[in-house]
Amino acid sequence: RLVSDWSSDVCSSDLELRLEALLADGRARSARILARDLGETARATDRMLVKLAEKGAIRSFGKGATRRWALTSSTSKVDTWALFTSATS
């Protein structure tokens, strides 16, 4: 396995945790706002949102520019925040 593949997996996992932690307050946000708040590109954020939606961790509301993303009710907000803070320490 290439080093760049490993690095990409680590960055992807970090982005996933940061997205879930940002959505942990229960508010739905647009992909553009999430990307801005995370300091990530819109493309990387969009890809991760779709990946998390496919896993059932988040859901979307609306279409096009009005689309918003939020955690599913089955995702524990406390557990997500604990994972994020332990990953960044």
Side-chain angles (χ1 to χ4, degrees):
R1 192 165 198 205
L2 295 173
V3 172
S4 61
D5 291 342
W6 176 85
S7 176
S8 176
D9 289 347
V10 170
C11 292
S12 176
S13 175
D14 177 58
L15 178 56
E16 183 175 338
L17 288 173
R18 292 186 301 136
L19 262 172
E20 288 180 345
L22 189 58
L23 292 170
D25 65 1
R27 293 181 8 204
R29 293 179 177 83
S30 70
R32 182 180 61 83
I33 296 299
L34 289 167
R36 183 202 66 196
D37 291 350
L38 292 167
E40 294 288 337
T41 64
R43 185 177 198 164
T45 303
D46 284 338
R47 287 181 178 171
M48 184 55 63
L49 287 168
V50 170
K51 179 181 172 184
L52 289 171
E54 289 171 353
K55 289 176 27 178
I58 63 171
R59 63 184 185 276
S60 66
F61 305 92
K63 293 182 180 179
T66 63
R67 189 177 208 180
R68 299 292 181 262
W69 298 87
L71 288 179
T72 58
S73 59
S74 63
T75 306
S76 169
K77 296 175 186 175
V78 174
D79 291 345
T80 301
W81 182 249
L83 283 171
F84 175 69
T85 55
S86 66
T88 58
S89 318

